[in-house]
PDB file of all heavy atoms in Angstrom:
ATOM      1  N   ASN P 529    -141.986 183.575  17.045  1.00 94.00           N
ATOM      2  CA  ASN P 529    -141.171 182.599  17.845  1.00 94.00           C
ATOM      3  C   ASN P 529    -141.731 182.521  19.230  1.00 94.00           C
ATOM      4  O   ASN P 529    -141.846 181.445  19.848  1.00 94.00           O
ATOM      5  CB  ASN P 529    -139.719 182.977  17.855  1.00 94.00           C
ATOM      6  CG  ASN P 529    -139.035 182.657  16.508  1.00 94.00           C
ATOM      7  OD1 ASN P 529    -139.589 181.909  15.697  1.00 94.00           O
ATOM      8  ND2 ASN P 529    -137.825 183.248  16.291  1.00 94.00           N
ATOM      9  N   GLU P 530    -142.107 183.697  19.795  1.00 94.00           N
ATOM     10  CA  GLU P 530    -142.625 183.675  21.144  1.00 94.00           C
ATOM     11  C   GLU P 530    -143.971 182.911  21.195  1.00 94.00           C
ATOM     12  O   GLU P 530    -144.251 182.129  22.110  1.00 94.00           O
ATOM     13  CB  GLU P 530    -142.813 185.139  21.620  1.00 94.00           C
ATOM     14  CG  GLU P 530    -143.178 185.255  23.085  1.00 94.00           C
ATOM     15  CD  GLU P 530    -143.637 186.681  23.478  1.00 94.00           C
ATOM     16  OE1 GLU P 530    -143.245 187.614  22.767  1.00 94.00           O
ATOM     17  OE2 GLU P 530    -144.437 186.750  24.420  1.00 94.00           O
ATOM     18  N   LEU P 531    -144.797 183.162  20.123  1.00 94.00           N
ATOM     19  CA  LEU P 531    -146.090 182.480  20.021  1.00 94.00           C
ATOM     20  C   LEU P 531    -145.854 180.942  20.066  1.00 94.00           C
ATOM     21  O   LEU P 531    -146.578 180.215  20.761  1.00 94.00           O
ATOM     22  CB  LEU P 531    -146.824 182.892  18.771  1.00 94.00           C
ATOM     23  CG  LEU P 531    -148.114 182.196  18.501  1.00 94.00           C
ATOM     24  CD1 LEU P 531    -149.193 182.565  19.542  1.00 94.00           C
ATOM     25  CD2 LEU P 531    -148.671 182.534  17.110  1.00 94.00           C
ATOM     26  N   ILE P 532    -144.852 180.474  19.307  1.00 93.00           N
ATOM     27  CA  ILE P 532    -144.588 179.051  19.209  1.00 93.00           C
ATOM     28  C   ILE P 532    -144.185 178.518  20.570  1.00 93.00           C
ATOM     29  O   ILE P 532    -144.604 177.477  21.077  1.00 93.00           O
ATOM     30  CB  ILE P 532    -143.558 178.746  18.113  1.00 93.00           C
ATOM     31  CG1 ILE P 532    -144.137 179.102  16.733  1.00 93.00           C
ATOM     32  CG2 ILE P 532    -143.123 177.298  18.141  1.00 93.00           C
ATOM     33  CD1 ILE P 532    -143.107 179.167  15.620  1.00 93.00           C
ATOM     34  N   ARG P 533    -143.269 179.281  21.192  1.00 93.00           N
ATOM     35  CA  ARG P 533    -142.772 178.832  22.529  1.00 93.00           C
ATOM     36  C   ARG P 533    -143.916 178.737  23.568  1.00 93.00           C
ATOM     37  O   ARG P 533    -143.943 177.818  24.382  1.00 93.00           O
ATOM     38  CB  ARG P 533    -141.691 179.828  23.000  1.00 93.00           C
ATOM     39  CG  ARG P 533    -140.291 179.567  22.347  1.00 93.00           C
ATOM     40  CD  ARG P 533    -139.221 180.342  23.043  1.00 93.00           C
ATOM     41  NE  ARG P 533    -139.299 181.753  22.745  1.00 93.00           N
ATOM     42  CZ  ARG P 533    -138.574 182.349  21.748  1.00 93.00           C
ATOM     43  NH1 ARG P 533    -137.775 181.606  20.944  1.00 93.00           N
ATOM     44  NH2 ARG P 533    -138.674 183.646  21.510  1.00 93.00           N
ATOM     45  N   GLU P 534    -144.897 179.616  23.457  1.00 92.00           N
ATOM     46  CA  GLU P 534    -146.050 179.592  24.338  1.00 92.00           C
ATOM     47  C   GLU P 534    -146.915 178.419  24.048  1.00 92.00           C
ATOM     48  O   GLU P 534    -147.512 177.809  24.951  1.00 92.00           O
ATOM     49  CB  GLU P 534    -146.912 180.873  24.244  1.00 92.00           C
ATOM     50  CG  GLU P 534    -146.261 182.035  24.879  1.00 92.00           C
ATOM     51  CD  GLU P 534    -146.971 183.369  24.523  1.00 92.00           C
ATOM     52  OE1 GLU P 534    -148.034 183.314  23.841  1.00 92.00           O
ATOM     53  OE2 GLU P 534    -146.447 184.460  24.940  1.00 92.00           O
ATOM     54  N   LEU P 535    -147.035 178.094  22.731  1.00 91.00           N
ATOM     55  CA  LEU P 535    -147.965 176.980  22.366  1.00 91.00           C
ATOM     56  C   LEU P 535    -147.468 175.610  22.718  1.00 91.00           C
ATOM     57  O   LEU P 535    -148.287 174.724  23.039  1.00 91.00           O
ATOM     58  CB  LEU P 535    -148.135 177.060  20.806  1.00 91.00           C
ATOM     59  CG  LEU P 535    -149.269 177.936  20.286  1.00 91.00           C
ATOM     60  CD1 LEU P 535    -149.142 178.007  18.751  1.00 91.00           C
ATOM     61  CD2 LEU P 535    -150.623 177.341  20.702  1.00 91.00           C
ATOM     62  N   ILE P 536    -146.201 175.448  22.644  1.00 89.00           N
ATOM     63  CA  ILE P 536    -145.627 174.057  22.808  1.00 89.00           C
ATOM     64  C   ILE P 536    -146.115 173.365  24.061  1.00 89.00           C
ATOM     65  O   ILE P 536    -146.712 172.276  23.999  1.00 89.00           O
ATOM     66  CB  ILE P 536    -144.080 174.086  22.725  1.00 89.00           C
ATOM     67  CG1 ILE P 536    -143.647 174.391  21.251  1.00 89.00           C
ATOM     68  CG2 ILE P 536    -143.474 172.792  23.164  1.00 89.00           C
ATOM     69  CD1 ILE P 536    -142.204 174.628  21.044  1.00 89.00           C
ATOM     70  N   PRO P 537    -146.004 173.987  25.255  1.00 87.00           N
ATOM     71  CA  PRO P 537    -146.425 173.254  26.438  1.00 87.00           C
ATOM     72  C   PRO P 537    -147.952 173.017  26.472  1.00 87.00           C
ATOM     73  O   PRO P 537    -148.389 171.951  26.895  1.00 87.00           O
ATOM     74  CB  PRO P 537    -146.052 174.214  27.587  1.00 87.00           C
ATOM     75  CG  PRO P 537    -145.711 175.514  26.973  1.00 87.00           C
ATOM     76  CD  PRO P 537    -145.349 175.290  25.565  1.00 87.00           C
TER      77      PRO P 537
END
Side-chain angles (χ1 to χ4, degrees):
Chain P
N529 286 344
E530 189 191 334
L531 175 67
I532 294 168
R533 280 192 286 268
E534 285 170 4
L535 270 172
I536 289 173

